[in-house]
Amino acid sequence: MINTALEILKKYWNYSSFREPQDQIINAVLQKEDVIALLPTGGGKSICFQVPAFQMDGVCIVISPLIALMNDQVANLKKRNIKAATIKSGASNNEIITLLDNIKFGSYKFLYISPERLQSQLIQQKIKELNVNLVAIDEAHCISEWGHDFRPSYRNINILKTIIPNANFIALTATANNKIINDIALNLELHHPKVFKKSFYRKNLAYQVFDVQDKLGKLLQIFTKTKTPAIVYVNSRRKTKDIATFLNANNFKSSFYHGGLSTKDKDLAFKNWLSESTPIIVATNAFGMGIDKSNVGIVIHFDLPFSIENYIQESGRAGRNEKKSFAVLLKNDSDILVFNDTVKKSIPSLKEIKEVHRKLYQYFTIPLGEITEDFYSFNLLEFSKLYKFTPIKVDTILKILANNGIIILSNTYNQKSTLFFKTSSKNVLSYAIRNIYTKNFINSLLRTYSGLFEQEVKIDEFAIAKKNNMTSGQVKEQLLRLQQDDLLDYNQVETDLEIQFLVPREDDKTINSISKNISKYLTQKDKKSKDFLSYISNNTICRSIQLLNYFEEKSTKKCGVCDVCLSEKRNKKLNISEEIITLLKSKYSLTSQEINQFISANEKDILIHLRELISENIIKINHQNKYQLK
């Protein structure tokens, strides 16, 4: 029988030792103390609750903000033969009851659940029936209105203190200052929690910000020098494929990853990167969960992230093996303009939030005062076009509504419609000639998508509609007509999102009740974007010092490896050479010892500069063995 935490770690995770301060955190949890753990990205937060929960009788409830993150964690535990479960999106009451009964009687160790689910009285009642040994709150900074991703639904987690009073709590986050830590303790009603903080300082990670016009050229330059596995982060799905294609064309093996890929394609891209058959992966920020590859040598931000917290989390995936690694950010004046424009476009007013919220209910013909438990298929672009909204703003508003417990959002991006021409190209062209009204439409399909005669191809009806000056509804009608004429197989998927409404329709009254939360969220979002711009624009203070001070770690020790520190070293080197030249102009010739008396630098540095000036043909050694200008 396995008794110790170290034995469990070795058997199920194949690690022979804990990282600092994992073992101290685990001991505190086992002593039934409430714990707050602040560990930077890559610090092994999940181990801190998974290992002790495994040692205790009963089940550990894990509160997590993202469906995809929960699914990922459950899948990882199942791979290790550890029984874990989560409530799937759209589950009926009967399915929820069956799942929780299975957990109760089936020796499950972990139940992953979103904070929104805790609002359900059914789930609260079923949790009462479980033997809960521990409550773990992941991404605990979401509790605080000062956090970078405040979710008011996190404020309701303390209901568990009433439901399961004997379970202790552990709150975990990678990004929090003292104000946020105090907020977490207060809102979770933690009793004298033990707080563990690991420094954000990464001595082996060089933060470097480069101002470059030709970013693609810079990538080639970087990958010519750096041969370790790498991640390139971009802000659009299209760029992931375009840049990976560019790198492959230049003999740098790359794959790409974004939220719109099918599960199969995501798994293949991740597997190829993990095995290093494609050591470079170009990705959106959807690539991040479950990454534990220790030898990533460089993380490059090709586009600007929107906060220091996001930047730190993504950059922190480099150098987990403690070897020298790099976090490189590429920027230029155009990026700053785009950044400011995107922030401006993505931050809605209260009036706009009310308008989108009202139109959502109208879109699904839900009357005032009514609520339904149905999940509705939703196409964000189509909705935005219909009501003349900006898609990026609608996206932000949907997240605000979800974070405030008004709706539940479920991504279905990987479910795309498919098309396959089941007859020959000759027959298709012949059909197009006979049906003059569909000729241009068919030609547009064939130009847009390759392989339609060989296999099922994923399509985007909205994109097709845009190309043909039609609505996506008209596109679907055309495709269904072609299917009826036995020309093609059209497997139609209606949506990229699913929405469930959690409160009855009350229009402005609903938004007014959460307006204070919304205002704080928008103010924070704006401040964090400005803080990030300030960081990348400050070329006088060591990057590491800037980041540490942002997270309230007071430090004056320069890292010596960031772009600011390296620039200082180069300038210092340049200044010594100039001082030597100026000195020799006034003194004609001097020995190295004499030069050392006039210049305040160590003798070794002066000798290096003297050799460089000789090699550059600026000075020479005369017959008296003294240095003089040429």
Side-chain angles (χ1 to χ4, degrees), residues 23-203:
D23 52 346
Q24 297 168 48
I25 294 170
I26 288 166
N27 285 335
V29 171
L30 290 171
Q31 305 272 329
K32 302 298 285 181
E33 295 190 71
D34 287 335
V35 170
I36 298 175
L38 173 58
L39 300 178
T41 300
K45 293 187 293 297
S46 56
I47 292 286
C48 295
F49 65 83
Q50 287 172 344
V51 169
F54 206 88
Q55 286 181 268
M56 299 185 283
D57 288 333
V59 63
C60 170
I61 291 179
V62 186
I63 312 296
S64 184
L66 298 171
I67 292 169
L69 183 57
M70 289 190 281
N71 289 338
D72 187 73
Q73 292 256 344
V74 168
N76 278 336
L77 287 166
K78 285 180 176 177
K79 280 179 192 172
R80 303 178 198 282
N81 294 316
I82 298 170
K83 295 185 84 170
T86 185
I87 301 171
K88 70 179 183 182
S89 177
S92 67
N93 282 350
N94 284 339
E95 288 172 322
I96 291 169
I97 290 167
T98 301
L99 174 70
L100 291 170
D101 282 344
N102 286 341
I103 290 168
K104 181 179 177 181
F105 300 111
S107 303
Y108 276 76
K109 293 306 298 181
F110 297 94
L111 167 61
Y112 281 76
I113 190 168
S114 70
E116 289 79 14
R117 287 282 188 189
L118 285 178
Q119 296 177 43
S120 161
Q121 289 190 343
L122 168 67
I123 288 173
Q124 289 176 16
Q125 181 56 45
K126 297 303 288 185
I127 285 174
K128 274 184 187 178
E129 298 172 13
L130 299 177
N131 175 22
V132 178
N133 59 34
L134 178 66
V135 176
I137 299 98
D138 204 6
E139 309 295 344
H141 57 269
C142 295
I143 290 170
S144 175
E145 63 192 33
W146 310 108
H148 70 282
D149 194 17
F150 173 48
R151 289 172 67 120
S153 54
Y154 260 68
R155 295 283 179 111
N156 300 325
I157 293 172
N158 57 12
I159 187 70
L160 291 173
K161 282 283 183 183
T162 305
I163 296 170
I164 39 175
N166 295 325
N168 55 313
F169 281 48
I170 174 170
L172 307 110
T173 179
T175 49
N177 56 26
N178 290 330
K179 185 184 279 189
I180 294 168
I181 288 170
N182 291 335
D183 225 8
I184 290 168
L186 183 68
N187 281 282
L188 286 177
E189 300 174 22
L190 303 184
H191 304 297
H192 307 294
K194 278 205 164 182
V195 178
F196 296 89
K197 292 167 76 173
K198 188 173 182 180
S199 173
F200 281 91
Y201 181 62
R202 297 278 302 277
K203 65 180 179 182

Side-chain angles (χ1 to χ4, degrees), residues 253-275:
K253 292 180 179 176
S254 313
S255 52
F256 65 95
Y257 187 107
H258 60 71
L261 295 177
S262 67
T263 303
K264 183 181 175 184
D265 288 340
K266 283 180 186 173
D267 288 345
L268 182 63
F270 183 69
K271 183 182 174 185
N272 286 341
W273 178 71
L274 214 55
S275 66

Side-chain angles (χ1 to χ4, degrees), residues 218-459:
K218 187 68 176 178
L219 282 186
L220 297 182
Q221 184 188 347
I222 289 169
F223 290 130
T224 300
K225 290 181 181 177
T226 310
K227 304 300 181 187
T228 57
I231 306 171
V232 180
Y233 278 111
V234 295
N235 281 351
S236 81
R237 293 175 176 185
R238 193 180 74 182
K239 272 189 192 177
T240 62
K241 186 175 182 180
D242 289 348
I243 293 174
T245 302
F246 169 79
L247 290 171
N248 282 315
N250 285 277
N251 299 315
F252 295 105
K253 292 180 179 176
S254 313
S255 52
F256 65 95
Y257 187 107
H258 60 71
L261 295 177
S262 67
T263 303
K264 183 181 175 184
D265 288 340
K266 283 180 186 173
D267 288 345
L268 182 63
F270 183 69
K271 183 182 174 185
N272 286 341
W273 178 71
L274 214 55
S275 66
E276 296 177 25
S277 59
T278 55
I280 301 168
I281 193 160
V282 187
T284 62
N285 60 9
F287 185 71
M289 296 172 296
I291 295 175
D292 194 17
K293 186 170 172 61
S294 65
N295 66 334
V296 176
I298 185 165
V299 170
I300 299 172
H301 280 92
F302 192 89
D303 295 322
L304 303 183
F306 287 98
S307 71
I308 287 177
E309 285 86 353
N310 290 341
Y311 171 67
I312 279 280
Q313 284 185 335
E314 289 158 10
S315 297
R317 293 179 181 121
R320 294 186 181 183
N321 58 1
E322 301 299 317
K323 292 184 179 177
K324 187 178 180 181
S325 52
F326 301 89
V328 173
L329 184 141
L330 307 179
K331 73 174 179 77
N332 51 45
D333 291 341
S334 174
D335 288 320
I336 306 297
L337 291 173
V338 169
F339 181 92
N340 284 325
D341 187 53
T342 303
V343 169
K344 186 180 176 183
K345 283 179 178 175
S346 68
I347 296 183
S349 66
L350 203 61
K351 183 181 176 183
E352 286 171 319
I353 293 169
K354 287 179 177 180
E355 183 69 10
V356 170
H357 172 251
R358 187 163 54 248
K359 294 296 185 189
L360 269 179
Y361 284 97
Q362 284 181 21
Y363 189 66
F364 296 113
T365 61
I366 298 171
L368 276 166
E370 294 290 316
I371 188 173
T372 169
E373 292 185 357
D374 295 338
F375 272 82
Y376 293 93
S377 296
F378 183 71
N379 186 303
L380 188 146
L381 292 176
E382 208 164 72
F383 174 83
S384 303
K385 187 179 181 184
L386 177 65
Y387 294 111
K388 297 180 174 57
F389 295 135
T390 309
I392 191 170
K393 214 165 255 188
V394 172
D395 186 55
T396 301
I397 291 169
L398 289 176
K399 286 171 184 169
I400 288 170
L401 296 177
N403 289 350
N404 282 275
I406 309 300
I407 61 173
I408 289 177
L409 285 177
S410 174
N411 281 340
T412 55
Y413 285 121
N414 59 329
Q415 299 174 22
K416 295 288 184 185
S417 299
T418 60
L419 207 61
F420 169 58
F421 277 103
K422 59 202 289 190
T423 187
S424 68
S425 57
K426 184 180 176 182
N427 288 343
V428 171
L429 293 173
S430 174
Y431 178 93
I433 292 166
R434 292 195 313 273
N435 297 272
I436 192 69
Y437 295 110
T438 57
K439 181 180 177 182
N440 289 340
F441 180 74
I442 290 171
N443 286 339
S444 173
L445 284 179
L446 296 174
R447 283 195 303 270
T448 306
Y449 298 101
S450 58
L452 285 168
F453 293 98
E454 289 86 36
Q455 60 187 3
E456 284 191 347
V457 174
K458 286 184 179 179
I459 62 162

